[in-house]
Amino acid sequence: MNNWEIYQLINPLSLHRLWVLISRLIRFAIVGFSGVFVDLGGFYFLHGLLGLSLTTSAIISTELAIINNFIWNDMWTFGDVSTPKNLVTQQVQKFGKFNLICLVGMLVNVAIVNFLVNKFTMNAYMAKLIAIICVTFWNFGINLRWNWQIKYTTES
């Protein structure tokens, strides 16, 4: 590590950017955690109370959680860099990207769980927890760069 890299690590501006990044990640995780309750609550309502099929209930409740997470992330996690609310087209595009990122995250999640369970005979719940953690970082990083377009550079 050279002097410039050390300076960048202790530079107050760099520390501020790091804190902002960590703060966003924490808010992103809290929003994601709230989405678990929306998903489970919606699933219970749709499947348990309304009697919709398992697959239909799972799809709708997952999409409800994605909508919940998008709204809260747009208002709270990335509220300081969000698109002005009057630009509906940009909001719809951002929501579409968010959905796509979540879909890819879901596929990554399933792949990680299957890999850990089948290759290492790991407990399925432990594998799921590891997959959730990995996908949280994936979803956060991709949304940070692609959807809310925040770039942290050494010049800024």
Side-chain angles (χ1 to χ4, degrees):
M1 188 177 264
N2 65 33
N3 288 342
W4 176 249
E5 290 170 328
I6 294 170
Y7 171 76
Q8 287 297 316
L9 286 175
I10 59 173
N11 178 326
L13 185 56
S14 294
L15 291 175
H16 175 72
R17 282 193 307 247
L18 179 61
W19 170 247
V20 169
L21 183 66
I22 291 169
S23 164
R24 283 190 204 283
L25 178 60
I26 290 168
R27 284 181 279 171
F28 191 84
I30 291 169
V31 168
F33 191 64
S34 78
V36 171
F37 290 98
V38 171
D39 196 342
L40 291 174
F43 184 78
Y44 173 76
F45 177 76
L46 295 165
H47 183 66
L49 298 179
L50 295 184
L52 295 180
S53 76
L54 194 66
T55 301
T56 301
S57 299
I59 290 170
I60 294 171
S61 68
T62 298
E63 189 59 31
L64 288 173
I66 289 171
I67 292 167
N68 169 79
N69 290 4
F70 174 77
I71 291 169
W72 282 108
N73 278 316
D74 194 51
M75 288 184 347
W76 186 45
T77 306
F78 301 104
D80 59 326
V81 294
S82 284
T83 307
K85 303 305 179 232
N86 57 352
L87 300 174
V88 175
T89 305
Q90 288 181 344
Q91 286 297 102
V92 169
Q93 288 173 347
K94 193 182 296 183
F95 177 68
K97 286 189 219 175
F98 188 81
N99 251 314
L100 182 61
I101 292 165
C102 290
L103 172 63
V104 172
M106 180 185 66
L107 296 174
V108 170
N109 185 306
V110 169
I112 291 170
V113 169
N114 278 288
F115 177 74
L116 293 175
V117 169
N118 295 323
K119 182 75 174 174
F120 297 106
T121 62
M122 183 181 281
N123 174 282
Y125 295 101
M126 183 58 69
K128 183 67 173 166
L129 179 61
I130 290 169
I132 288 169
I133 292 167
C134 292
V135 169
T136 296
F137 283 103
W138 153 265
N139 284 346
F140 177 72
I142 298 300
N143 273 297
L144 183 74
R145 294 287 183 148
W146 187 43
N147 213 0
W148 280 276
Q149 300 176 349
I150 298 171
K151 294 174 179 72
Y152 293 100
T153 63
T154 56
E155 293 86 40
S156 57

